[in-house]
Amino acid sequence: MPATFATESHTGLVRRGNEDAALAQPPVFAVADGMGGALAGEVASGMAVAALAEAAPGTPEELASAIREVNGSIFAQATGDAGRSGMGTTLTAALAGEGSVTFVHVGDSRAYRLRGGLLEQLSSDHSLVAEMVRRGELSEEDALAHPQRSIITRALGVDADVELDSFSVELAPGDMFLLCSDGLYSMVPEPAVEKILNGSGDLAVAARSLVEAALAGGGEDNVTVVLFCPDGAVPSGDGQGPGAAERGSSPPAGGTAEGGPGERAVRNAGRWRDWRVLAAVALALVIILTMATWYMTRQVYYLGASEGRVSIFQGLPLEVGPVSLSSLYRQSDVSLDDLEPFERERVLREELTSLEAAEEMLQNYSGRQGAEAGTDREDAGRRPSATTATGTGF
Amino acid sequence: MNKPIRRLFIVTVLMFASLAGMLGYHQVVQAQRLAENPYNTRKVFAQMRIERGLILMRDKSELSANRLEDDLYYRTYPGGDLAPHVTGYSDVTYGQTGLERSRNDYLTGTADEVELFTILDTILGREKRGADLRLTLVPEVQREALDQLRSIGKNGAVVVLEVKTGAVVAMVSSPSYDPNLLEANWEQLNADPVAAPLFNRATQEIATPGSSFKLITTAAALETGAFKPDSKFDDTKGSIDIYGNTINNYRTLPFGKHDLADAFAQSINTTYAQVGDELGQETLFEYMKRFGLYERPPLELPEDEVAVSGRYEAGKLAGPEKQLDPVQVAWMAIGQENLQVTPLQMAMIAQAIGNGGEMMAPYLIDTISDYHGTIIRQADPKVWKTPIDSSTAAELTEMMIMTVEEGTGSKAQTSKTQIAAKTGTAEVEGRGPNAWFVGFAPAEDPKYAIAVLVEDAPDESGAIAVPLARDVLLAALGL
């Protein structure tokens, strides 16, 4: 019985472009998850899948060498084209042979096998958190929520040479295999994946259900699944014809800045993203600072003169071009002319202070003015206060 | 090693290298220059970076202000020679005197209550700023006193106090000086020990009070009940023998039959010698102390610029503990015998009599305010001493009125007000006597008390001080 298979891919609910690519060209199946800005991720994953489709390897050795070759070409492009610097892709490829399936794997896409109703992960993620989990520094649950969970430690196209995980599994009747990008397993827990695969009698339906589950789980990343049964135990339904190198179901969008969870970068790569993020942060900072500065300027006051009268101004005694950073808060009836020269000079210094202090100063100037009028030398003598005590003045 | 780590390493190495380099530069190359930078200079400059508070007169006219030059503040004295003995000066070379010295903490803003620094001030990196002193001095009175002293061409001092508060309305010492010209005139200012322009005669000069001391003798005589204003005396010779020592009246004039009030108004020494003999040294010293002698008046000037009045022996205060012989006591009662008083002290005595027996603590500073006029401290007039009760004060006032009406102070008569006073003349060896005028006006409701000291008076009557005092009192009263 010939192999049956199905593929499904979706941009997800957050990303604007689909950087995943899939291949179902029996006996070769693959999932690639690209990275790098300005379409570079799509280019990388597309190159990987296309190369496999073209090479159509028949043996594990041919598979591995085809992959090494495409690694070289992606790397060449990445280093040759500034816009594609940092470009790379994961690749999890399978070659269904007689009695066994060979996998070649790099990155954090995954290969699973469903045997006897039980789902088992065959590949090991080449990601920072996976390594931490392997070293026992992180639990599986924490890994799923780890802020750096999308950093992968190995990928195609980031170096001239690449280390590939290559392994084969014996085939048993009824084995079903699942290749998927991290957009699936980071959104859908494994038991749910297992349930979907077991509950469906049709690979195409199962593939669609998996993608829908990923979208229901948040759809924060591109999600791509490839399902195949080497012995055709499960029908592929109306689904996919052979030989299709599948692109995501949503058309790719233009290279725009992306942020948010699931943002992926390889250490040592993704500089493009770094400066985009930096620019965004800087812009946000400038906006925040501008707003904070404006807010601050409204908190300060100063004493000055308007129409020859001592007045309180709000803001800064500055003009930026045609824009005055201050506004008249209150004009008093104290005339500058009534002040002593030194007082006038002090008022006109327009020194920043709080509203409270400015009010007090104004009070001082107006209060003393009133007192002045009543100060006659004849009346200057004050009665000593009732609470006279020993001791002196100051 | 991959690229970023290599770069980080290089940057770190470079930073350490520059750190080591700068350290070496300052420790080795610049060490000499740093060592030659004495702390004192820095301290002076630190103070000069502070905008000192102003010193203002009562009407807010400026006595001490600032001139900013190269980020440093230099003191200027817009008042010129009007009140330099009160403000003193603040100068990098010549140091500080007067209120500039005693209130340096407020003027530089280092006094605790001056300026609570706000967050805003800190953000803006503002320097501390001094607080302004607004004095009780009234410019017209101060000017009149200075002009009067100048016009008679004698060295001397005038102190005018507000009777009810003790506020100093005028404090003049002549010759005066212009603190703006310290550097130009320094040698000259210090050349003449007699003129001594830097010396504040109002508070630092201790001079023999002569007959003006009879205020204290009379106060003691009346308050103890030993004598009354109408106690009878007879003076036939114009001189008296006390224990074999002759005490003369002025010009040895005989006065015939008279009472104590006459003796006060005519300043009859023979009678006061008998009063002193009768009262004894203990009582006289007690009343001296009651009137604040033997104590430094609590004025805001630096302590060493306010002398203590009392009896001096060999330049030192000699108190009542030493037994004097009766002749000395008799001399003391007429204001001789090594008695030494400051014009401030005599003004305070007049103030106490005019204030019903309550001596106020004298003060020069009415308010201290921060840069924008918020008052930090306000003068709170206080009774310092109560040397006599009000009935004694009233009797003394009557006698002081008589002195002006028909006695030695007749030149203080004016139709504008009734002045009450006691004059005094004290012989000084080698030059003319010290002439004193101590009194207050208006006699029926005293507002201003005055003490005038004129050195080297042209004649022994001391009459020169009287019209001067009258005119200053009239200026104070705005008449």
Side-chain angles (χ1 to χ4, degrees):
Chain A
M1 216 175 165
T4 54
F5 60 91
T7 73
E8 192 74 40
S9 183
H10 197 280
T11 308
L13 304 174
V14 175
R15 301 302 190 82
R16 298 188 57 184
N18 195 340
E19 299 186 327
D20 287 357
L23 176 70
Q25 182 182 290
V28 182
F29 303 91
V31 164
D33 181 354
M35 74 202 76
L39 297 180
E42 291 178 32
V43 171
S45 58
M47 280 174 75
V49 165
L52 279 187
E54 195 184 336
T59 64
E61 292 71 31
E62 285 171 13
L63 178 64
S65 73
I67 291 173
R68 285 189 200 288
E69 208 165 298
V70 75
N71 175 66
S73 5
I74 297 173
F75 181 69
Q77 280 231 4
T79 49
D81 183 345
R84 290 176 178 169
S85 127
M87 157 174 97
T89 184
T90 71
L91 182 66
T92 302
L95 176 66
E98 291 297 320
S100 72
V101 180
T102 301
F103 294 87
V104 175
H105 162 72
V106 59
D108 69 345
S109 295
R110 283 183 182 173
Y112 287 94
R113 177 180 64 193
L114 185 75
R115 176 180 282 178
L118 295 177
L119 190 68
E120 187 190 352
Q121 184 181 338
L122 300 175
S123 60
S124 307
D125 296 347
H126 301 141
S127 71
L128 199 58
V129 289
E131 283 176 9
M132 289 166 79
V133 170
R134 282 196 283 278
R135 287 199 298 268
E137 293 168 9
L138 204 64
S139 72
E140 299 263 8
E141 299 85 70
D142 291 344
L144 287 172
H146 198 276
Q148 288 172 310
R149 62 181 179 275
S150 55
I151 290 180
I152 59 179
T153 52
R154 253 194 259 172
L156 287 188
V158 296
D159 221 330
D161 209 4
V162 65
E163 189 186 340
L164 301 172
D165 278 6
S166 189
F167 54 91
S168 296
V169 293
E170 295 295 313
L171 261 178
D175 278 353
M176 186 199 292
F177 296 90
L178 164 65
L179 308 180
C180 65
S181 63
D182 63 341
L184 177 71
Y185 66 77
S186 60
M187 293 292 125
V188 188
E190 275 177 24
V193 173
E194 187 180 85
K195 205 173 160 194
I196 288 168
L197 294 181
N198 281 322
S200 167
D202 182 320
L203 286 181
V205 172
R208 211 168 299 129
S209 303
L210 286 176
V211 168
E212 277 161 12
L215 297 178
E220 290 175 6
D221 200 354
N222 306 144
V223 49
T224 298
V225 298
V226 172
L227 285 170
F228 64 95
C229 276
D231 60 2
V234 181
S236 57
D238 58 350
Q240 313 292 325
E246 159 133 340
R247 170 56 65 198
S249 54
S250 308
T256 52
E258 291 145 11
E263 179 79 21
R264 53 177 45 240
V266 177
R267 280 186 298 184
N268 226 353
R271 272 181 215 115
W272 181 89
R273 272 189 203 202
D274 285 355
W275 74 254
R276 288 297 286 258
V277 168
L278 261 175
V281 169
L283 185 68
L285 267 177
V286 166
I287 291 169
I288 290 169
L289 272 175
T290 307
M291 286 169 64
T293 306
W294 178 249
Y295 177 78
M296 292 284 287
T297 63
R298 303 314 288 171
Q299 306 312 301
V300 292
Y301 297 79
Y302 63 90
L303 230 50
S306 71
E307 294 171 341
R309 291 175 188 284
V310 183
S311 306
I312 297 176
F313 292 86
Q314 185 178 17
L316 300 174
L318 293 174
E319 313 247 316
V320 178
V323 181
S324 171
L325 293 185
S326 69
S327 55
L328 181 64
Y329 179 80
R330 193 155 66 79
Q331 191 182 65
S332 77
D333 49 11
V334 181
S335 168
L336 270 190
D337 295 338
D338 294 338
L339 297 182
E340 293 296 319
F342 73 89
E343 291 173 327
R344 205 147 49 225
E345 187 190 316
R346 288 175 180 183
V347 167
L348 295 177
R349 281 195 189 180
E350 302 187 328
E351 289 185 349
L352 293 183
T353 185
S354 65
L355 177 59
E356 200 181 21
E359 294 272 20
E360 189 179 342
M361 293 171 193
L362 194 58
Q363 185 68 37
N364 293 335
Y365 288 128
S366 54
R368 275 200 283 173
Q369 226 177 15
E372 213 87 60
T375 303
D376 185 300
R377 262 184 290 120
E378 284 290 315
D379 303 332
R382 272 187 300 274
R383 288 302 305 174
S385 66
T387 57
T388 46
T390 52
T392 66
F394 55 87
Chain B
M1 195 159 40
N2 69 24
K3 256 190 196 167
I5 294 180
R6 191 161 53 235
R7 281 193 195 140
L8 188 64
F9 174 73
I10 290 167
V11 168
T12 309
V13 166
L14 283 175
M15 284 167 67
F16 268 104
S18 61
L19 189 63
M22 286 309 283
L23 267 176
Y25 175 70
H26 281 291
Q27 298 276 319
V28 182
V29 184
Q30 290 279 73
Q32 183 69 16
R33 195 184 66 82
L34 290 172
E36 283 168 3
N37 185 0
Y39 175 69
N40 272 346
T41 312
R42 271 181 283 159
K43 196 174 162 193
V44 166
F45 276 101
Q47 284 227 343
M48 290 181 72
R49 284 186 206 289
I50 296 173
E51 185 176 356
R52 266 177 103 74
L54 304 176
I55 303 181
L56 308 166
M57 299 187 94
R58 191 178 292 214
D59 68 345
K60 291 201 264 185
S61 57
E62 295 168 45
L63 288 175
S64 301
N66 302 295
R67 175 170 52 85
L68 185 61
E69 197 179 303
D70 298 331
D71 284 336
L72 296 179
Y73 288 98
Y74 294 85
R75 209 57 161 156
T76 63
Y77 295 89
D81 60 7
L82 188 55
H85 300 100
V86 174
T87 62
Y89 50 77
S90 179
D91 186 278
V92 183
T93 313
Y94 304 108
Q96 292 179 332
T97 61
L99 292 175
E100 295 275 22
R101 176 168 143 223
S102 61
R103 289 298 175 267
N104 189 52
D105 51 352
Y106 284 99
L107 290 169
T108 55
T110 46
D112 289 342
E113 63 260 57
V114 172
E115 218 168 336
L116 285 177
F117 245 46
T118 61
I119 298 170
L120 195 61
D121 294 324
T122 311
I123 292 171
L124 296 174
R126 280 190 189 142
E127 296 274 353
K128 255 185 177 303
R129 210 138 55 176
D132 300 335
L133 310 183
R134 188 169 171 190
L135 306 186
T136 52
L137 296 181
V138 175
E140 295 85 351
V141 188
Q142 181 81 6
R143 172 59 63 192
E144 175 72 13
L146 182 61
D147 288 350
Q148 287 279 344
L149 273 177
R150 278 220 179 110
S151 68
I152 60 172
K154 296 290 180 188
N155 301 339
V158 176
V159 175
V160 180
L161 301 177
E162 242 169 35
V163 167
K164 293 183 175 62
T165 61
V168 180
V169 172
M171 177 172 279
V172 168
S173 177
S174 183
S176 188
Y177 68 98
D178 186 345
N180 292 304
L181 307 173
L182 276 188
E183 192 164 359
N185 296 343
W186 187 253
E187 277 187 23
Q188 186 194 329
L189 288 174
N190 288 279
D192 184 349
V194 177
L198 297 175
F199 183 70
N200 184 1
R201 288 179 158 73
T203 58
Q204 287 179 288
E205 174 161 26
I206 43 171
T208 307
S211 297
S212 62
F213 185 79
K214 287 172 186 161
L215 286 168
I216 292 178
T217 308
T218 311
L222 298 174
E223 181 101 346
T224 55
F227 295 90
K228 303 219 170 303
D230 58 359
S231 295
K232 299 288 181 273
F233 298 89
D234 192 358
D235 171 60
T236 48
K237 295 192 299 183
S239 67
I240 187 173
D241 261 19
I242 297 264
Y243 306 99
N245 233 287
T246 305
I247 292 177
N248 291 322
N249 286 334
Y250 172 58
R251 290 182 185 162
T252 330
L253 290 171
F255 284 90
K257 289 190 188 305
H258 64 274
D259 60 20
L260 185 67
D262 297 321
F264 182 90
Q266 306 299 334
S267 213
I268 302 172
N269 285 344
T270 51
T271 301
Y272 268 89
Q274 293 170 60
V275 171
D277 186 40
E278 181 86 19
L279 293 174
Q281 86 169 73
E282 203 174 312
T283 304
L284 283 177
F285 276 121
E286 185 199 330
Y287 276 84
M288 284 159 73
K289 287 184 167 176
R290 284 197 185 197
F291 275 102
L293 281 73
Y294 289 95
E295 234 174 289
R296 197 181 306 282
L299 196 68
E300 298 98 325
L301 290 173
E303 278 201 2
D304 57 8
E305 293 179 29
V306 181
V308 178
S309 301
R311 183 173 171 273
Y312 278 77
E313 276 182 15
K316 282 186 176 163
L317 267 179
E321 65 284 346
K322 190 183 167 192
Q323 192 61 44
L324 304 179
D325 72 43
V327 181
Q328 287 176 302
V329 176
W331 276 110
M332 201 162 77
I334 61 171
Q336 299 289 336
E337 233 311 286
N338 297 329
L339 289 178
Q340 306 269 275
V341 295
T342 62
L344 171 66
Q345 188 67 48
M346 294 312 287
M348 289 163 66
I349 290 168
Q351 178 273 322
I353 296 167
N355 197 34
E358 288 190 332
M359 181 180 274
M360 305 304 290
Y363 64 93
L364 279 162
I365 302 172
D366 182 60
T367 46
I368 300 181
S369 345
D370 72 11
Y371 198 71
H372 285 288
T374 299
I375 291 173
I376 298 165
R377 299 196 69 162
Q378 168 99 45
D380 178 22
K382 287 185 172 71
V383 175
W384 188 43
K385 290 182 179 300
T386 308
I388 50 175
D389 64 29
S390 58
S391 61
T392 306
E395 285 174 341
L396 267 170
T397 301
E398 281 307 313
M399 293 162 89
M400 291 167 78
I401 292 172
M402 254 181 78
T403 306
V404 171
E405 288 306 293
E406 48 199 68
T408 57
S410 58
K411 282 182 182 163
Q413 289 171 23
T414 161
S415 59
K416 294 171 182 168
T417 187
Q418 178 65 58
I419 296 173
K422 180 77 193 87
T423 63
T425 312
E427 286 156 32
V428 177
E429 260 182 60
R431 59 165 166 84
N434 288 338
W436 284 94
F437 183 97
V438 181
F440 51 82
E444 64 279 8
D445 178 21
K447 288 202 160 58
Y448 296 101
I450 191 170
V452 175
L453 166 65
V454 177
E455 294 176 7
D456 192 23
D459 67 64
E460 293 189 353
S461 74
I464 192 169
V466 181
L468 187 159
R470 178 197 62 205
D471 289 350
V472 174
L473 277 174
L474 289 177
L477 291 167
L479 296 173

